[in-house]
Amino acid sequence: MDDHAQHDHSDWEEVVFAARERAHARQALMVERFGLSGDDVQYHWSMDDARITWSRGGAVFLTGRLTMIGTVSLARQTWLWSWANDSLPPAVLGDIERVRRFGEANDYPVLPWPGFDHHPELVAEARMVAASVLDADGLWADSTDDVQLHFLVHDLAPVPEPR
């Protein structure tokens, strides 16, 4: 029997449930509090300095720090944790290693595996548990070609309007 079969599934389900509740509440609060919905909101992010900014009409109104959680290759239908991806700039990794260690310490599935087959529910669980472990303000995702990029958002800071 391999180690992956040894974990207590009900314990993992409790962690996922609590993380999902937390993520939904935090996400709704982030979008509502900072007005991140609407067609007039643009965003710009950079992996090199792990920053994201939101603007409206060319004026930046909110900044935050990013931690890349992982990527989904749509062509290969696989998930790869950012901590297992050596092509990423160090800044964007943040404290993601803590998520892997949390999985190992508690014998949870998914978290300590470098990658796994893409199942939307498993990816969602991984993202939400990572958000909980790293106490993120929210989740962010973007796509390029055939790759989905998944991030945590931290340290949100409103930018005062110029007088």
Side-chain angles (χ1 to χ4, degrees), residues 71-78 142-149:
T71 54
V72 172
S73 166
L74 298 176
R76 291 194 299 267
Q77 289 292 296
T78 55
D142 208 346
S143 295
T144 63
D145 299 325
D146 72 336
V147 177
Q148 293 175 351
L149 309 165

Side-chain angles (χ1 to χ4, degrees), residues 70-139:
T71 54
V72 172
S73 166
L74 298 176
R76 291 194 299 267
Q77 289 292 296
T78 55
W79 165 268
L80 179 64
W81 282 100
S82 62
W83 55 261
N85 186 343
D86 58 11
S87 69
L88 296 173
V92 83
L93 298 178
D95 292 331
I96 196 67
E97 188 65 31
R98 280 181 37 211
V99 176
R100 184 186 64 76
R101 288 195 310 265
F102 176 76
E104 285 178 346
N106 293 285
D107 202 21
Y108 291 142
V110 181
L111 304 180
W113 308 344
F116 50 87
D117 289 340
H118 175 245
H119 297 287
E121 184 59 27
L122 261 188
V123 169
E125 290 177 2
R127 294 175 71 223
M128 289 183 279
V129 171
S132 184
V133 170
L134 296 183
D135 195 31
D137 292 319
L139 293 152

Side-chain angles (χ1 to χ4, degrees), residues 43-60:
Y43 61 90
H44 173 78
W45 56 267
S46 164
M47 281 201 270
D48 292 330
D49 63 0
R51 302 299 301 166
I52 186 167
T53 60
W54 286 270
S55 59
R56 194 176 282 112
V60 172

Side-chain angles (χ1 to χ4, degrees), residues 61-73:
F61 66 90
L62 183 66
T63 66
R65 179 175 57 86
L66 293 175
T67 298
M68 178 170 267
I69 310 168
T71 54
V72 172
S73 166

